[in-house]
């Protein structure tokens, strides 16, 4: 093994690869008022770095295709180990995208949101799954795209 | 370059911690057209990495309850050391988020934005807080403010 010169930057082997998933399949006339993953599922697995922190960036295209105040929420939930694991963090609308709810029929609007997830167990695998719902279940909100990126951070 | 000897201090690539702060107290009927921090403030401190660069994330839940094309903007400012320190990154709309500005009353909407702040002094402590203002009107509200700072290479 090579000698490490003074002044070298020493990095722990604690930055696993960033992960990204996306899908542009439209999901139309959404009626569910509880969070569902949709088809196909958009999700990534990530091994937590030693900081126990990751940056999650998600985006989507959503609209209300009616002159009502109906809204859609696209966000994500986090499981320990895998989709079959314990819920580490349930879906939160504040860290996702919630549409505007103006009472006019809208074209698709594309937005993103990012959040710092903390308290992960270093070295443990986590499963980040994009989920969505409609607030009133009116069947008028649509999704054009969904994406999620998870980046290990200090 | 000299070798590292026994007893020498080895610093890792030295990453200061990423930080996050959330404030869920409603800011209702905002009328300020100049940037204001609101009450309570959504603020925290962070330490600049050796690169002097950080990513700043702003997320907010906002609405306009009247039918004017008024917008509410949520962004951030950075000061050196504390709230009393010099401004090193002034609040600008383009680094944050806003409501749509349609001449329609809206419901609460949520989204975020992310941008890089450069030329910070390595190892210095900085104060960051969410700032907001409106175009006009008296019925703009904020339900959630969130700031995250992540050191960058």
């Amino acid at each position: 093994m090579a000698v490490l010169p003074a002044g070298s930057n020493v990095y722990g082997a604690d930055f696993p690869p960033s992960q990204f998933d996306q899908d542009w399949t439209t999901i139309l006339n959404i009626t569910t008022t509880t969070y569902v993953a949709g088809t196909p599922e958009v999700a990534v697995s990530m091994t937590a770095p030693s900081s126990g922190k990751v940056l999650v960036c998600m985006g989507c295209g959503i609209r209300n295709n009616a002159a009502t105040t109906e809204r859609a929420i696209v966000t994500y939930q986090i499981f320990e180990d895998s989709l079959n694991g314990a819920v580490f963090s349930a879906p939160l609308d504040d860290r996702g995208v919630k549409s505007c709810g103006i009472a006019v029929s809208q074209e698709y609007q594309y937005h993103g949101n990012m959040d710092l997830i903390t308290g992960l167990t270093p070295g443990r695998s986590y499963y980040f799954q994009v989920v969505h719902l409609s607030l009133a279940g009116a069947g008028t909100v649509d999704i054009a795209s969904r994406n999620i990126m998870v980046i290990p951070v200090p | 370059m000299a070798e590292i000897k026994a007893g020498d201090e080895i610093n890792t690539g030295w990453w200061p911690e990423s930080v996050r702060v959330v404030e869920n107290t409603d800011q209702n009927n905002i009328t300020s057209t100049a940037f204001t921090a609101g009450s309570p403030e959504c603020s925290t401190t962070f330490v600049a990495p050796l690169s002097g660069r950080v990513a700043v994330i702003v997320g907010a839940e906002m609405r306009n309850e009247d039918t004017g094309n008024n917008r509410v903007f949520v962004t951030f400012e950075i000061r050196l050391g504390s709230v009393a320190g010099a401004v090193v990154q002034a609040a600008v709309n383009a680094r944050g988020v806003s409501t749509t500005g349609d001449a329609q009353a809206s419901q609460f909407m949520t989204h975020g934005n992310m941008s890089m702040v450069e030329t910070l002094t390595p190892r210095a402590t900085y104060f960051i807080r969410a700032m907001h203002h409106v175009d006009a009107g008296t019925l703009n509200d904020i339900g959630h403010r969130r700031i995250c700072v992540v050191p960058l290479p």
Side-chain angles (χ1 to χ4, degrees), chain A residues 89-141:
Chain A
S89 180
L92 296 173
D93 62 334
D94 284 337
R95 68 186 181 201
V97 175
K98 183 161 58 183
S99 56
C100 58
I102 60 173
V104 292
S105 182
Q106 303 140 30
E107 300 297 332
Y108 283 113
Q109 295 184 19
Y110 296 84
H111 289 290
N113 209 342
M114 311 91 201
D115 200 3
L116 182 67
I117 305 298
T118 64
L120 303 172
T121 301
R124 187 165 195 165
S125 183
Y126 291 86
Y127 191 84
F128 298 76
Q129 181 190 51
V130 175
V131 294
H132 66 265
L133 59 69
S134 68
L135 279 164
T140 58
V141 291

Side-chain angles (χ1 to χ4, degrees), chain B residues 102-119:
Chain B
D102 290 279
Q104 297 278 338
S106 77
Q107 306 294 308
F108 272 117
M109 65 193 76
T110 303
H111 47 272
N113 202 351
M114 181 163 67
S115 62
M116 184 166 74
V117 176
E118 301 178 87
T119 66

